[in-house]
Amino acid sequence: ARVSKTQFRLVISLIWLTGGILGVPFLYGNRVVDMIDDKGQRYPFCYSVNLTRSQLKFYRWLLVLLQYAIPLTVISWVYARMGVALWGATAPGNAQTERDANIMRNKKKA
């Protein structure tokens, strides 16, 4: 099924909105502070000042889940379904051993 332009724009807008919302805790919780190294030189460092360790840990695990685990699971599931569908499919027409052997080799490559 084709997606209309309105649906396309809505999905793209939701993706950007979700990305922006997921970045808000970093904006709220982190500040650039001046640190001093062993030689007495100052350097900027991004430091968590408004979030506790447990909040930061929860936020990081949430990002791993939303940005890595769920997409990996969905993509793996879709590819597995495609593989099962392609592997079980037969070529249309009369059976020809040479053609069928060629199709089987192509399926194995995929």
Side-chain angles (χ1 to χ4, degrees):
R2 290 199 157 241
V3 178
S4 70
K5 285 185 179 183
T6 305
Q7 290 172 328
F8 174 75
R9 289 181 179 143
L10 179 65
V11 168
I12 296 297
S13 298
L14 285 174
I15 289 171
W16 276 96
L17 182 65
T18 303
I21 289 171
L22 287 175
V24 168
F26 272 132
L27 182 64
Y28 168 75
N30 294 333
R31 296 290 180 263
V32 177
V33 295
D34 285 331
M35 301 294 281
I36 300 174
D37 62 8
D38 295 338
K39 298 175 184 175
Q41 295 179 346
R42 302 177 101 188
Y43 63 95
F45 185 76
C46 189
Y47 189 72
S48 179
V49 293
N50 293 328
L51 297 175
T52 64
R53 283 191 183 268
S54 61
Q55 289 172 332
L56 201 54
K57 186 176 181 179
F58 173 78
Y59 175 65
R60 287 178 178 159
W61 277 109
L62 180 69
L63 287 181
V64 167
L65 182 71
L66 292 175
Q67 295 178 347
Y68 178 73
I70 291 174
L72 178 66
T73 303
V74 169
I75 289 171
S76 298
W77 181 72
V78 169
Y79 270 108
R81 284 192 49 162
M82 284 182 2
V84 168
L86 287 174
W87 193 259
T90 58
N94 296 332
Q96 296 175 357
T97 56
E98 185 179 327
R99 181 197 68 195
D100 292 344
N102 189 25
I103 290 172
M104 192 57 94
R105 281 193 301 273
N106 289 337
K107 284 182 179 182
K108 287 181 181 179
K109 288 180 185 177

